[in-house]
């Protein structure tokens, strides 16, 4: 099934008459309920933001998805976060060749880089397709869109787990080193071929001061505990990704994306506009994109930006000292804003017909404010999840008091990083939009 979509001849080519793809989030429309993004008097309603642009954008994402899937298979069976779809010959999660191979080989390093890039491109294309289906659903077949969105979200989330656990462990170990000045921390363990070919150099050491004595005592054991817990979670995520990429559920998703690359299911109004029927009014994408922007603006307005503008948040600290294992109540609205900002960016890309093959590279159409706000919210998410992992490790039964103390200090440090990210978002969001030169 899905295997036939991995061959190079099965990937459709882009329309040669379309303009070159722009990189990064396209320039948003001028301020207003339904502002005109064309900027030229007498321009055709179908010039920039009609149904054809939406169809071209979705087909471009589907093509990128299939291209990334082929690259993922060519990186080797069982490599990275899963084996090639439909092969069923990859080794198990604990027997991947990269786990015991020679990590210093240049070919292995290049293969690892290709696999990581392919998995990232696969997730990126899946997110963009899902987000576009959400924003422009009135122009698409409702049943098909409702069926595709959760499947793409499942795929993107499953493939992202292993990388998230590895990044979280690296972040926590680096923070422990910075706080304690100690070097006695375990190196991240390999899982499959996801371990880098060359181990990163250890950060420079600094002699521990007298007030770091208590932290240094438990820092090594705290790092070992975090390594055991997060490596176990990473291994399970690796196995889950392997199973997902070999499942019939993934094959069905790949089949639907392959069909999307050639034909986009539209609603009745979208089909009439795409066919340029005489009685069909031009369908403008900008009202739907403006609605996505308004949802983002409303969510940001509900955030405690005044509190975020202060370098100290006593309410967050009080909750951080609570034994309640529930997620931090202040984090949820910020995570929601991050998702809405991502949908807003994808809507802007669809307006310009951007290609994900070059998305992410800043150019003249990039709003620096959106870039800075997105980066701040990504740091917020990472720090929040790292703090939760430190708190979870501190609740391990029968750990030494020094280990619990080190984990408590680590948790407080990551919550400070959360506050710093909110502070950065507050400053970047309130600035006027700036275009890169």
């Amino acid at each position: 099934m899905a295997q036939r979509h991995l061959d190079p001849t099965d990937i459709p080519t882009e329309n040669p008459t379309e303009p070159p793809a722009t990189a990064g989030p396209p320039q948003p429309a001028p301020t207003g309920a339904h502002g005109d993004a064309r900027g030229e008097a007498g321009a055709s309603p179908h010039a920039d933001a009609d149904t054809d642009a939406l169809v071209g954008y979705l087909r471009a994402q589907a093509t990128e998805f299939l291209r990334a899937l082929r690259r993922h298979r060519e990186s080797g069976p069982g490599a990275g976060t899963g084996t090639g779809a439909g092969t069923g010959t990859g080794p198990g999660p604990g027997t991947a060749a990269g786990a015991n191979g020679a990590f210093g080989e240049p070919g292995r390093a290049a293969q690892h880089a290709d696999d990581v890039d392919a998995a990232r491109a696969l997730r990126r294309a899946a997110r963009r397709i899902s987000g576009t289906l959400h924003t422009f659903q009135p122009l698409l077949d409702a049943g098909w869109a409702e069926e595709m969105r959760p499947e793409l979200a499942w795929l993107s989330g499953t493939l992202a787990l292993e990388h998230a656990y590895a990044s979280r462990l690296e972040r926590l170990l680096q923070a422990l080193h910075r706080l304690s000045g100690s070097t006695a921390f375990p190196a991240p363990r390999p899982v499959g071929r996801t371990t880098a070919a060359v181990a990163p150099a250890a950060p420079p050491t600094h002699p521990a001061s007298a007030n770091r004595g208590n932290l240094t005592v438990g820092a090594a054991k705290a790092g070992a505990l975090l390594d055991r817990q997060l490596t176990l979670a990473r291994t399970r995520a690796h196995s889950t990704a392997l199973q997902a990429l070999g499942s019939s559920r993934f094959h069905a998703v790949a089949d639907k994306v392959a069909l999307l690359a050639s034909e986009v299911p539209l609603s009745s109004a979208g089909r009439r506009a795409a066919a340029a029927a005489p009685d069909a009014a031009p369908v403008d994408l900008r009202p739907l994109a403006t609605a996505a922007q308004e949802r983002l603006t409303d969510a940001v307005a509900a955030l405690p930006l005044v509190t975020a503008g202060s370098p100290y948040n006593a309410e967050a600290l009080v909750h951080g000292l609570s034994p309640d294992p529930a997620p931090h109540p202040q984090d949820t609205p910020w995570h929601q804003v991050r998702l809405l900002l991502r949908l807003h960016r994808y809507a802007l890309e669809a307006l310009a017909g951007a290609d994900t093959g070059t998305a992410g590279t800043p150019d003249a159409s990039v709003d620096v404010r959106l870039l800075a706000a997105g980066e701040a919210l990504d740091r917020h998410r990472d720090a929040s999840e790292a703090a939760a992992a430190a708190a979870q490790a501190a609740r391990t039964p029968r750990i030494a008091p020094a280990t619990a103390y080190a984990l408590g200090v680590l948790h407080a440090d990551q919550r400070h990083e959360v506050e710093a990210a909110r502070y950065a978002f507050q400053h970047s969001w309130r600035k006027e939009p700036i275009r890169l030169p």
Side-chain angles (χ1 to χ4, degrees):
M1 293 172 57
Q3 179 67 28
R4 66 177 180 270
H5 303 307
L6 300 177
D7 297 329
T9 56
D10 290 328
I11 298 180
T13 57
E14 291 80 357
N15 188 348
T17 62
E18 293 178 355
T22 58
Q27 184 174 358
T31 304
H34 306 299
D36 189 353
R38 293 186 297 273
E40 294 181 4
S44 171
H46 289 266
D48 296 319
D50 59 357
T51 309
D52 291 339
L54 175 62
V55 170
Y57 181 73
L58 285 173
R59 293 181 61 185
Q61 311 314 313
T63 301
E64 183 64 21
F65 182 97
L66 297 177
R67 184 179 294 113
L69 190 58
R70 186 191 68 191
R71 289 172 52 200
H72 202 274
R73 184 202 63 170
E74 291 175 349
S75 64
T81 56
T83 183
T87 60
T89 60
T95 60
N100 301 313
F103 296 114
E105 296 179 5
R108 184 67 52 81
Q111 195 173 40
H112 161 75
D114 290 342
D115 177 62
V116 171
D117 292 342
R120 184 180 295 111
L122 198 63
R123 300 198 312 266
R124 183 170 59 239
R127 288 197 308 265
R128 280 168 165 77
I129 296 175
S130 178
T132 305
L133 297 184
H134 178 273
T135 302
F136 301 102
Q137 184 171 347
L139 301 179
L140 302 168
D141 183 83
W144 171 81
E146 287 295 333
E147 184 180 357
M148 279 287 290
R149 281 174 50 203
E151 295 302 297
L152 292 170
W154 161 77
L155 176 61
S156 177
T158 301
L159 296 181
L161 278 179
E162 181 182 351
H163 172 72
Y165 284 124
S167 301
R168 197 171 306 156
L169 176 60
E170 181 182 5
R171 179 188 185 94
L172 289 172
L173 293 182
Q174 289 180 352
L176 271 177
H177 176 274
R178 171 172 49 81
L179 294 169
S180 66
S182 173
T183 58
F185 298 116
R189 302 179 188 180
V191 177
R193 237 179 250 161
T194 56
T195 301
V198 180
T205 60
H206 303 282
S209 58
N211 59 354
R212 287 183 175 179
N214 293 334
L215 179 59
T216 305
V217 171
K221 291 185 177 180
L225 176 61
L226 289 169
D227 177 67
R228 288 196 302 271
Q229 292 184 348
L230 292 178
T231 300
L232 176 60
R234 179 186 173 191
T235 303
R236 290 173 176 171
H238 180 78
S239 301
T240 302
L242 284 173
Q243 296 171 3
L245 289 180
S247 66
S248 59
R249 183 179 182 182
F250 171 74
H251 292 169
V253 174
D255 289 339
K256 293 178 181 177
V257 173
L259 294 176
L260 178 63
S262 58
E263 181 181 0
V264 177
L266 299 173
S267 64
S268 57
R271 287 194 299 269
R272 287 196 303 268
D279 59 338
V283 177
D284 195 350
L285 303 183
R286 282 185 290 272
L288 297 175
T290 301
Q293 182 178 7
E294 290 174 351
R295 288 192 293 268
L296 170 64
T297 303
D298 293 342
V300 172
L303 291 177
L305 291 184
V306 176
T307 303
S310 173
Y312 177 75
N313 187 345
E315 183 180 351
L317 178 60
V318 169
H319 186 276
L321 298 176
S322 170
D324 185 6
H328 201 289
Q330 291 188 3
D331 292 347
T332 302
W334 293 86
H335 296 334
Q336 181 66 16
V337 167
R338 176 177 172 272
L339 296 178
L340 292 175
L341 178 61
R342 177 173 286 178
L343 291 177
H344 174 52
R345 286 177 43 230
Y346 298 163
L348 295 180
E349 290 182 6
L351 290 181
D355 183 5
T356 53
T358 56
T361 304
D363 70 351
S365 66
V366 176
D367 186 346
V368 178
R369 186 184 66 157
L370 290 182
L371 289 178
E375 292 173 358
L377 292 176
D378 286 343
R379 293 197 305 271
H380 176 276
R381 188 270 317 268
D382 294 342
S384 173
E385 293 178 347
Q392 181 65 28
R395 296 186 182 97
T396 304
R398 297 183 298 277
I399 60 175
T403 305
Y405 172 77
L407 290 171
V409 173
L410 179 61
H411 173 268
D413 174 76
Q414 292 304 300
R415 291 308 306 181
H416 279 294
E417 292 292 332
V418 168
E419 296 304 315
R422 294 178 182 177
Y423 184 79
F425 174 83
Q426 185 258 4
H427 275 265
S428 63
W429 185 259
R430 292 188 170 182
K431 292 180 179 178
E432 293 296 327
I434 302 174
R435 306 294 170 196
L436 292 177

